[in-house]
Structures are given as C-alpha cells and as structure tokens.
Amino acid sequence: MAADCVAGAEAGGPRFAPGETLERFIHRINDEWVQAHRGVSPAALTDMVDLIGAQTARFYETTDPATPSLGVSWAGADPAPRWLDTARDLTEFWTHRQQIRHAVGLTTDPDPRTLSVVLTTFMRALPHTLRGIDADPGTQIHVHVTGPAGGTWTDTATNTGWSLAPKPDSSPAARVELDPETAWRLCTRGITPATAVASARVEGDRHLAEATCRIVSVIR
C-alpha cells in the first residue's frame, strides 16, 4: 500500500529504483512481500495486517494533509496532496477487502459509511478520464450513484480541461446513473465500461456518457 511505501521509505525500507514508476514500485514490493511470507500461517498473517493497519493509521495522524505526497496517477495529480494519497490508500484497502470477501463467498460490505468515502475518492478520476474529450467550456456531465453511499458528481469542461464543479448545472449535457455495486466495480476495473453503460441509466449525449464510463480509479 502507498502508506507502507511512504513509511517504509522514511524508515529505510523499500525505495524506488532509478527510473521506476510508482506502479512498478508497488508491484515489485508487493511481490517481494508475497514471496517472503509464503510460509507464514493465516493466523499470523491476519495478526500482522492488524498490526500494520494500526501503525498506518498512527502514521497518517502525524501528517499534514495539505503537504505534497506520492502522485495519484489516475487522478492526474503528481505530486498529490497528502489527503488524496491517504484517501487513495483507503480505497485500496477497501477494494482488496471486497475481493477477499467475494473469494470466500460473501457479498460486498453493505456498510455505506466507508463506501461513501471510497466513491467520493474514485470520482476524483473524472477530470483525468475526460482529458482527451473536447467540449465547449461549461459543458457538464453528472454522474449519480444511487443509494445511501452514493451522491452526484459533476465534471465541467473548461478552457484547460475538465474539472469537478461544486455547483452543478440543472441541465447537464449528459447524465449517468449507476448503482453503487456497478460504480465501484467499474472504477476498479472489475467490470468493463461496456457492461457499466449497459446497466446504467443514461440521459443526453451518449458519447460523453460512454467516455465517462471509461473511468479508472486504480493504479494499473
């Protein structure tokens, strides 16, 4: 996880190799960790996760959320403010937890409190997702996720790209409505954009709606 990368680097742990991207760095140290712990029992592994989780929380409690941190590539932010890097780390913990739940036959965690934060963080990818889409300044796209964990996010075209708008227009060029399960799976590439579009409620410009559903909110 990103928090472990930061804390480890500051304490003399894993460091970036020359020219190594964040994505390659994370994949490399994750693989090193897996190889090193192949013989560790499940009970010891879960105890270790509890220990590391508490240490990670304490680490973040000592940081200034406004200071520069690791880049968040899918949001187009490098460096990113610490709060965004922290939120990204939370989404990774949450997503991996759902993958474990599904692997043992459980459904997605129904608690909307954390999912609400996860979705809000994922939607930070919207402007970067649409960076190659031309539209007149002021053009807006609404993305609405239903349910108690959901909300509405508005991406607005500007002269320099797209930006999340705090005050949505009542008449957007496109509107995409997703259920929360579809939304988080789409953002983490658990389903394809085409699958998401097929199950979404789409209004207005379909080209913009389909482009919006190419959102990716994970490192890949």
Side-chain angles (χ1 to χ4, degrees):
M1 295 300 178
D4 301 324
C5 298
V6 176
E10 293 179 351
R15 296 182 181 277
F16 285 90
E20 189 173 41
T21 64
L22 175 62
E23 291 86 345
R24 289 183 179 276
F25 173 67
I26 290 176
H27 287 313
R28 175 173 62 82
I29 65 171
N30 279 348
D31 183 64
E32 291 173 356
W33 195 93
V34 169
Q35 297 304 324
H37 292 82
R38 281 188 178 277
V40 178
S41 70
L45 284 174
T46 54
D47 286 346
M48 188 182 304
V49 170
D50 283 341
L51 174 65
I52 294 173
Q55 291 176 342
T56 300
R58 289 196 296 271
F59 168 75
Y60 279 134
E61 288 172 352
T62 66
T63 63
D64 180 350
T67 59
S69 188
L70 294 176
V72 178
S73 58
W74 48 259
D78 189 12
R82 174 73 71 183
W83 65 263
L84 181 56
D85 185 29
T86 303
R88 181 267 302 278
D89 212 26
L90 170 66
T91 68
E92 291 178 0
F93 273 102
W94 186 90
T95 299
H96 292 320
R97 181 168 184 263
Q98 307 321 306
Q99 293 167 342
I100 293 170
R101 287 176 62 90
H102 295 171
V104 298
L106 300 176
T107 60
T108 299
D109 188 344
D111 187 346
R113 294 173 297 178
T114 306
L115 178 55
S116 176
V117 178
V118 168
L119 290 173
T120 298
T121 305
F122 282 165
M123 293 303 160
R124 290 278 170 179
L126 284 172
H128 191 62
T129 299
L130 295 175
R131 62 193 182 282
I133 304 298
D134 293 328
D136 293 334
T139 300
Q140 291 194 339
I141 303 171
H142 290 186
V143 178
H144 179 69
V145 179
T146 60
T152 300
W153 295 268
T154 302
D155 214 8
T156 302
T158 71
N159 290 319
T160 57
W162 292 80
S163 175
L164 287 176
K167 295 182 179 180
D169 192 321
S170 59
S171 301
R175 187 174 188 274
V176 180
E177 183 176 286
L178 303 164
D179 64 81
E181 188 73 12
T182 298
W184 82 261
R185 286 177 178 268
L186 170 65
C187 290
T188 58
R189 276 299 178 260
I191 59 174
T192 65
T195 299
V197 170
S199 64
R201 178 181 176 184
V202 174
E203 298 175 0
D205 190 317
R206 191 167 186 85
H207 171 68
L208 291 178
E210 290 177 348
T212 299
C213 286
R214 292 199 290 269
I215 186 171
V216 178
S217 306
V218 290
I219 297 173
R220 60 171 183 166

